[in-house]
Amino acid sequence: MMDKLAFWTLIASVVVVLMVLLFSALAFKSRQGQLLSLTLARPFLMLASTLEVLVQGAMLVWLSFWCTAFFTQTYYPKVVIAVGLMVLGGIYYIIKGIFKKLPPEESIEGEVVTREAAPALWSRVDALAAKVGTTPPDHIVAGIDINFYVTEAPLSVNEHQLSGRKLYVSIPLLRQLTTAQADGVMVHELTHLHEGDTASGALLGPKLHRFDLYMQLMGRNVATLIVFYPLYLYRILFELAWQRNSREREFVADLNASTLISPAAIVESLIKVSAYASYRTEVERNLFENGTLHENELGIGKAIAGGLPQHVSSPDFVSMMREQNVPHPFDSHPPLADRMRNVGYTVEEAGYAAIASELPTESWVDLMPVAEHIEQQLWQKYERNFSSAHEESLAWRFQPTGEKETALVLKHFPNVLFTLKNGSQIEITYQGIVKPESAELLAWDNVKNINVTRSFGRDTLYVQHKQPDAQGKKRSEIRLPGLKKDIENFKNTLGYYWHRHQTVRAMASQQE
C-alpha cells in the first residue's frame, strides 16, 4: 500500500509541476490571461497543497514507527506523537492560510482635490480624458510622493474610503514639469484607464495578495515547507509575466501620450521625474545617515528644489541615468532608452542636465489653488515622521557618551523591571541585565549568548560570558520564578535589547 501511495504521490507531484507551468504560460499571454491563470491556479494549488500535506504527513507518521521498528526492533511512542503533532500543525497552517483575511485597504498620504477646490485642474483633466476617449477619474488625490498613477483599487485617504477611478498627482513633480510635459504624463496615466489596465489590476490585486499571504504562511512551518516551493515557483513565473505585461502597457501609454501631446513632452517628463527622484533619495539618505539629532525643521522639499540643478550637473547623475537603462526581468517599467526608441524621440546623455534643471514658468500647480496648502501640510507631517524614524535609528546606533545621547537611548530603550515570585526584580537595560537580589550588572559587552529555557515548569535564563565574570564564572544562571504569564514579554524584551547592542557593536566595527 505504501509503495503505491509513494508512486502516486510522485505522479501527482509531476502533475502539479506541469499545471504550474501551464498556468504560468497562460499568464504570459495577456492581462486577461493573468486573471484567468490566478483564478484557476490559486484553488488548484491550495487543494494540491492540502492533499500533499495530508498524504505525506500520513507517510511520515507511518515511517516514524516503521523506521525504528525495522532497524532497532522497537518503536518510540514519543517520536510517533511528535511527528503526528507536527503534521497536525501543518494541517492547521493549511486551514489558517485558506481562511486568512486580507489586511485593511491601502492607505496613502495625500489630499482629495475636489472640483470646487480646483475647477481649472479638473477642466484640464476632463479635456485630456476626452482626447484619450475615456471617462475622467472620479477622484484626484494630490500628494508629495515621487509618483503619478491611476488606480481602481479601493484606497483610503485620511481615513476616507475612495472607490472608483482615482488619479494621484505629485505636487513637487508638477512644479518641475512644463504644462506640455504634465499633459504628456496625464495622457499616459489616462491611457491606463482607457485600456483597462487599472480595472484588471483592481481585480488581480486582492487575489494576488491573498495568494502571497497563503504562500508566506506555508513557508513558515516545517510541515508545510514542502508545498511552499511549487507555490513559490508559480509566483516567480507569474511575476515575470506580470512585469513583462506591465512594460508592454507602459509602451502603449507612452505612445499614446506622444501621439496626442508630443514625443518630446513624454521623454522630457521621464528625465525630469528620474532626476527629481534620484536627488530626493540622495538628500533623504544623507539626512537619515547623519549621526546627530535633527532639532530644527528639515526643509526636505526646499533642499531638493535648491540643490537639484547642482545634482543634475554632476557625473553621478549621468551614471544614475545609465543604470536605469539596464533591463531587469522584474522591472515594471521599461528602461528609459527603450521608452525613447518607442516614441521615436531620443535625448543624448549630454542633454539630460539641461532638461532636468529647466524650471517652467507655468505649470499644473497654477491650476490648483490649494496646492501650496496641501504641500505644506504634507511636508510637515512627512518631516515629523522622518525625524521620529531618524531619532529611533540613532537610539539603535548610539553607545551614549553624554546626557543628551543617554536620554535619547533611554527614551526608546527604558529600563524594564520584571518582578519575580519572591519579590526581587530582574532589570533589563540598554547596558545589560541587572541580576535580582545581588543587583550585579551583566554588561552586554561581556555577553556571548543568552537563552531562556523551561524545565519541569521552571523558567531559567542562561547567560554565557565572553570572559569570566567577577566570580570567575563563564556562565550565569538566573532563575525566573513567577514569570509564567509574563515570560513571553520578558523574552521579547530581552531579545530586543540584546539585538540593539549587537547592532551598536556591528556599526562600531564598520566605522573602525
Side-chain angles (χ1 to χ4, degrees), residues 127-138:
L128 291 175
K131 263 190 173 185
V132 175
T134 189
T135 306
D138 301 302

Side-chain angles (χ1 to χ4, degrees), residues 97-173:
I98 292 173
F99 295 102
K100 190 175 180 65
K101 293 182 179 180
L102 287 174
E105 296 171 348
E106 184 182 359
S107 177
I108 62 168
E109 293 291 341
E111 291 287 342
V112 177
V113 182
T114 63
R115 287 185 176 272
E116 294 75 21
L121 173 70
W122 274 97
S123 177
R124 190 85 175 189
V125 172
D126 289 342
L128 291 175
K131 263 190 173 185
V132 175
T134 189
T135 306
D138 301 302
H139 308 280
I140 296 179
V141 180
I144 60 172
D145 290 348
I146 322 169
N147 208 355
F148 296 101
Y149 61 86
V150 285
T151 180
E152 293 186 51
L155 206 61
S156 174
V157 180
N158 296 329
E159 300 182 356
H160 289 89
Q161 304 301 318
L162 299 181
S163 59
R165 298 146 69 94
K166 296 162 285 289
L167 168 66
Y168 179 90
V169 297
S170 170
I171 298 175
L173 287 179

